[in-house]
Amino acid sequence: MARTTPTASWRRAAVLGALMLAAFTFNTAENLPVGLLELISENLSVSVSAVGLLLTGYGVTVAVASLPLAHLTRAAPRRHVLTGVLTALVASSLMAASATSYGLLLAARLLTALAQALFWAVMGPVAVGLFAPGVRGRVVGALSVAGSLALVLGVPAGTWLGQQSDWQVPVAVLAALGLLSLVTIAVLLPTSRPDEEHAAYGTRPDTRRFRTVLAAGTLSATGAFTGYTYLATFLVDVSGFSRSTVSALFVAFGVGCLAGVTITGALLDRHPQSALTAAVVTQAAGMLGLYAAGTDPVAALVFLVLTGGAVGPVFMTTQNEMLRCAPGRTDMALAANSGSYNAGIAAGAALGGLILALTDVRTTFLAGGLLTACAYAVLLGGRSLPGRRA
């Protein structure tokens, strides 16, 4: 166990802060093109839909690469892996900021996505391994709060900065933030074999629980992004908001997400399974509420914030469950969870687009809510079965 001297405590806090900053930077990098679509489109002389593919390609890359990259690096010291990942983040951000063609920007985005795929696999065990097992939930909560700040602060600030200058400027800022994390990790994180860390294996290995959580998380992600991908259209066409207020409503969604992960993080250590169930139920209620009552602007705002307050906690609580029930190494379990979640995002966006083409945007939230309800049914079914230890 880590020493409890003031110096050791300071080092642990600094490393955790660097990991939180990296989580914020990665999530901002992933979502920043949403706010810079028009600027990138005009600057590189490509269509807005082509710029949108930068997001789709990113998510698909994370989904496909998470587990293979975690497997390839399973024996490497986590300090070396994280410094490599953060070096890739800095290099790809600088590459994107200097891109003069769409192809170069796409290549930079895919490199960032590969780095993020591995980051989410190794970051959790490293962070919780720095502290006593009894506070794992709070550590996971802190990392999730940092990631959620990307939607509340990172993307809006990056969008504003890009509008005041050029879209390349906020991308370059991400490189600077990544460099700060890189230096801190390289200097302060001890070098040790990954299988020797006390967070390398689940505290309560259970193969059936692992599969249940993985399935429920994937269904929840698919449900969330079946509707969320087309939220702007819903808010204008169904709820009657003006296009000029949509950005503020997205901030409200992000604030709900931040509040949700903050509250859930405080409960994870005492009620890990209940926290996951509550997040899934809340997401289903929010999405079905938007479908049923979204024509009223006040009700739409309430259910929008409620949905935002669940989307972040769903991923956070599934990550926490991976640290508990992983049947093998936790980094492999976290990679599987991140990959399946991103696969759910891609599937949800595609399903929502299909529904939108066949019916209307309200139905995307009905389908998303029903898929999330199915995730809840999976969790209930998993609880009714006896656990199977790995």
Side-chain angles (χ1 to χ4, degrees):
M1 182 177 294
R3 295 170 57 195
T4 57
T5 62
T7 299
S9 298
W10 177 83
R11 288 170 67 96
R12 290 198 299 270
V15 171
L16 178 60
L19 291 172
M20 291 172 66
L21 178 60
F24 169 83
T25 305
F26 269 117
N27 278 10
T28 301
E30 179 177 7
N31 294 286
L32 187 57
V34 171
L36 302 175
L37 285 176
E38 298 289 344
L39 293 175
I40 296 174
S41 172
E42 293 174 5
N43 181 259
L44 298 182
S45 300
V46 295
S47 67
V48 171
S49 61
V51 180
L53 288 176
L54 296 174
L55 290 162
T56 305
Y58 196 107
V60 171
T61 300
V62 173
V64 172
S66 292
L67 202 53
L69 287 177
H71 181 75
L72 286 172
T73 60
R74 65 191 183 280
R78 303 294 89 171
R79 176 170 171 263
H80 297 165
V81 173
L82 281 171
T83 52
V85 161
L86 292 170
T87 298
L89 170 63
V90 173
S92 61
S93 297
L94 291 174
M95 179 179 171
S98 60
T100 55
S101 68
Y102 178 80
L104 189 59
L105 178 58
L106 177 60
R109 290 278 299 173
L110 295 181
L111 177 58
T112 307
L114 289 172
Q116 180 166 328
L118 187 53
F119 174 76
W120 285 112
V122 302
M123 173 264 291
V126 169
V128 301
L130 296 169
F131 300 90
V135 297
R136 282 188 173 187
R138 275 178 277 176
V139 174
V140 172
L143 294 169
S144 297
V145 167
S148 298
L149 279 172
L151 294 177
V152 181
L153 176 62
V155 174
T159 301
W160 177 85
L161 184 59
Q163 291 170 342
Q164 302 306 309
S165 50
D166 295 301
W167 67 265
Q168 295 95 336
V169 174
V171 179
V173 170
L174 295 179
L177 296 179
L179 181 61
L180 179 58
S181 295
L182 168 62
V183 171
T184 304
I185 294 295
V187 172
L188 297 180
L189 183 65
T191 301
S192 61
R193 289 173 53 87
D195 55 358
E196 294 175 349
E197 299 171 354
H198 75 74
Y201 297 93
T203 54
R204 300 186 62 181
D206 188 329
T207 302
R208 182 170 286 118
R209 178 64 180 171
F210 167 76
R211 292 173 178 170
T212 297
V213 172
L214 202 62
T218 305
L219 280 170
S220 295
T222 305
F225 284 84
T226 297
Y228 176 74
T229 306
Y230 306 96
L231 180 59
T233 302
F234 180 94
L235 292 172
V236 173
D237 294 352
V238 177
S239 303
F241 290 103
S242 66
R243 294 190 181 278
S244 61
T245 63
V246 168
S247 59
L249 292 169
F250 270 94
V251 172
F253 181 93
V255 170
C257 181
L258 180 60
V261 296
T262 301
I263 295 169
T264 305
L267 303 173
L268 271 183
D269 290 315
R270 289 176 292 173
H271 309 289
Q273 295 191 33
S274 298
L276 172 56
T277 302
V280 170
V281 170
T282 302
Q283 180 179 303
M287 299 195 74
L288 292 174
L290 281 167
Y291 167 74
T295 53
D296 178 77
V298 175
L301 178 59
V302 171
F303 286 115
L304 172 69
V305 174
L306 188 66
T307 303
V311 171
V314 167
F315 182 68
M316 176 177 69
T317 51
T318 57
Q319 291 285 86
N320 188 64
E321 282 293 278
M322 292 296 108
L323 292 168
R324 295 177 70 248
C325 68
R329 286 264 295 269
T330 52
D331 53 358
M332 300 301 293
L334 289 167
N337 189 57
S338 178
S340 64
Y341 190 87
N342 278 276
I345 291 175
L351 177 61
L354 178 62
I355 292 171
L356 189 61
L358 295 175
T359 57
D360 56 38
V361 72
R362 280 187 70 197
T363 310
T364 65
F365 281 86
L366 173 61
L370 292 176
L371 281 168
T372 309
C374 289
Y376 173 60
V378 168
L379 291 174
L380 286 183
R383 283 191 176 186
S384 67
L385 297 172
R388 186 173 69 192
R389 291 298 178 96

